Amino acid sequence: MPHAEPLAFSGIHVISTNLLKMLSEDGAFSIIASYLRLAAQGKKHSRFRADEYYWRDLGRLEYVKQVEEDWKQRVFLQ
């Protein structure tokens, strides 16, 4: 079995419509659990490393303010 590398999940998905055919979950469910189930079944998947990019959750006002401060400090360019 290949080495598993722990990575953060950004919540951005680019999927094939084939994935929808493989989902067996009903109602609200964790897509991560579905991805893990499918990987355990040997289904192919890939990931996109975004290490060199600036990512920030903007779901709260304080997070937006932090981005503004990061912009002023040029954090994006580091």
Side-chain angles (χ1 to χ4, degrees):
M1 176 178 189
H3 171 72
E5 181 181 7
L7 297 171
F9 182 65
S10 67
I12 298 170
H13 308 252
V14 177
I15 65 169
S16 164
T17 55
N18 292 329
L19 171 67
L20 302 177
K21 299 172 191 172
M22 293 185 272
L23 297 177
S24 58
E25 295 76 7
D26 290 321
F29 63 91
S30 167
I31 194 67
I32 296 173
S34 301
Y35 289 157
L36 292 173
R37 176 180 59 78
L38 293 168
Q41 294 173 2
K43 304 296 183 191
K44 289 184 180 182
H45 68 281
S46 61
R47 84 282 190 251
F48 174 76
R49 297 290 305 244
D51 300 334
E52 63 189 77
Y53 302 98
Y54 176 90
W55 293 89
R56 175 66 83 172
D57 180 351
L58 298 177
R60 295 183 179 184
L61 181 57
E62 61 263 28
Y63 299 162
V64 175
K65 290 178 179 179
Q66 182 62 55
V67 171
E68 181 180 26
E69 187 58 35
D70 290 350
W71 179 262
K72 290 176 184 176
Q73 300 296 322
R74 305 294 230 180
V75 170
F76 305 129
L77 303 176
Q78 297 176 3

